[in-house]
Amino acid sequence: MKKIIIAIDGHSSCGKSTMAKDLARKIGYTYIDSGAMYRVITLYCIENNLFSGNELNLDVLRKEIGNIRITFRKNDATGHSDAFLNDRNVEAQIRSMAVAEKVSFTAAVDFVREALVGQQQAMGREKGIVMDGRDIGTVVFPGAELKIFVTASPEIRAQRRLDELIAKGEKANFDDVLRNIEKRDYIDSTRKDGPLRKADDALLLDNSTMTVDEQNQWLNQRFREKLKN
Ligand code: DC
């Protein structure tokens, strides 16, 4: 059966990765979380003191970006892929609020985007991939056969994110999480390079009132329809 590229973009914490992972597992495709790649770069910047407040030391990052190696490896215990920074498993650290608060600044840097977009395109060369992010259908794979743009209200996304953080034992409150989501939406949508926007040929999904099962089924149906055409 012919393999295609599936691009899933949308706002932070709207459930993109949940549905992307579910579909990839069911159809035997590779799932790539492009946001994790921006988060790994951000963790590197935090650990190496490249941030002063929200200001990034771009001169140092430009010199070091070639030494930041991002890989994904299957975690047999969870069945999912974990992100590695230069061979160190950083899956837990990249999901922290500390990284979430800084990642939009790293993701707005032109040479960071250029480096990561190149790596993402290389990962899709053989097709058979589900990738989620912000610019996958517009910049990374403008020719993707199936494009989805997912959204939900900021309050619903904040509650979902808060539930995830609490389940992981992180301290967080609703107002801080909501503020972080709204700030990231703003920075992601207004940046110059690869801003978050729906590709003209993407299907829109507002999953505010959908269960996880319902959205997984919705995506599965879109995939089956695409294969028939
Ligand atoms: O999907 P996420 O919340 O893990 O993404 C983390 C950040 O990375 C988010 O603020 C936007 C940015 N990002 C991006 O700019 N381009 C992508 N393709 C994926 C994520």
Side-chain angles (χ1 to χ4, degrees):
M1 197 187 292
K2 73 168 183 178
K3 292 205 166 183
I4 65 168
I5 292 184
I6 302 167
I8 304 187
D9 290 305
H11 291 99
S12 318
S13 305
C14 65
K16 298 183 296 293
S17 61
T18 305
M19 64 197 282
K21 268 184 221 160
D22 178 78
L23 180 67
R25 188 177 48 76
K26 285 186 181 136
I27 65 179
Y29 277 27
T30 302
Y31 163 67
I32 300 289
D33 173 357
S34 69
M37 301 171 75
Y38 291 93
R39 288 171 179 266
V40 171
I41 302 270
T42 306
L43 179 68
Y44 179 93
C45 294
I46 294 172
E47 289 183 342
N48 290 278
N49 300 313
L50 301 192
F51 272 108
S52 158
N54 292 332
E55 289 293 313
L56 245 180
N57 187 331
L58 295 180
D59 290 337
V60 176
L61 181 57
R62 191 178 283 111
K63 283 194 198 111
E64 295 190 8
I65 193 151
N67 302 326
I68 307 175
R69 203 158 50 83
I70 305 167
T71 46
F72 292 100
R73 295 184 206 164
K74 178 115 187 268
N75 178 329
D76 289 331
T78 62
H80 298 307
S81 279
D82 286 350
F84 282 68
L85 164 58
N86 294 341
D87 295 324
R88 178 166 55 102
N89 188 331
V90 291
E91 184 60 30
Q93 288 98 310
I94 64 166
R95 307 292 165 193
S96 65
M97 275 298 277
V99 168
E101 273 166 7
K102 296 275 187 255
V103 65
S104 284
F105 300 104
T106 327
V109 177
D110 53 0
F111 63 85
V112 170
R113 299 204 72 81
E114 200 181 307
L116 294 190
V117 166
Q119 291 179 27
Q120 290 153 7
Q121 288 172 334
M123 292 169 177
R125 214 160 274 148
E126 306 292 318
K127 300 211 174 192
I129 192 167
V130 184
M131 190 176 290
D132 70 16
R134 304 294 188 286
D135 59 344
I136 309 307
T138 51
V139 174
V140 181
F141 298 123
E145 289 84 352
L146 178 58
K147 297 182 188 178
I148 312 289
F149 188 89
V150 194
T151 192
S153 76
E155 289 74 17
I156 285 184
R157 289 185 282 131
Q159 189 59 53
R160 290 176 185 162
R161 181 80 190 116
L162 181 67
D163 293 345
E164 264 173 34
L165 288 167
I166 289 173
K168 280 189 218 147
E170 273 212 47
K171 283 207 189 82
N173 71 64
F174 181 82
D175 290 342
D176 287 346
V177 175
L178 179 60
R179 232 176 296 125
N180 175 259
I181 281 185
E182 288 177 335
K183 192 169 85 185
R184 281 205 283 157
D185 284 354
Y186 178 76
I187 300 176
D188 290 345
S189 314
T190 55
R191 70 171 170 239
K192 189 164 74 37
D193 286 319
L196 170 65
R197 71 171 182 84
K198 179 184 164 302
D200 294 339
D201 52 350
L203 303 171
L204 180 68
L205 172 67
D206 181 334
N207 65 11
S208 298
T209 60
M210 280 175 136
T211 64
V212 170
D213 271 356
E214 283 167 346
Q215 68 167 15
N216 289 346
Q217 273 173 31
W218 181 91
L219 180 60
N220 213 295
Q221 273 165 14
R222 302 292 83 74
F223 172 71
R224 304 279 154 214
E225 283 165 10
K226 187 52 72 176
L227 286 194
K228 272 193 234 143
N229 296 330

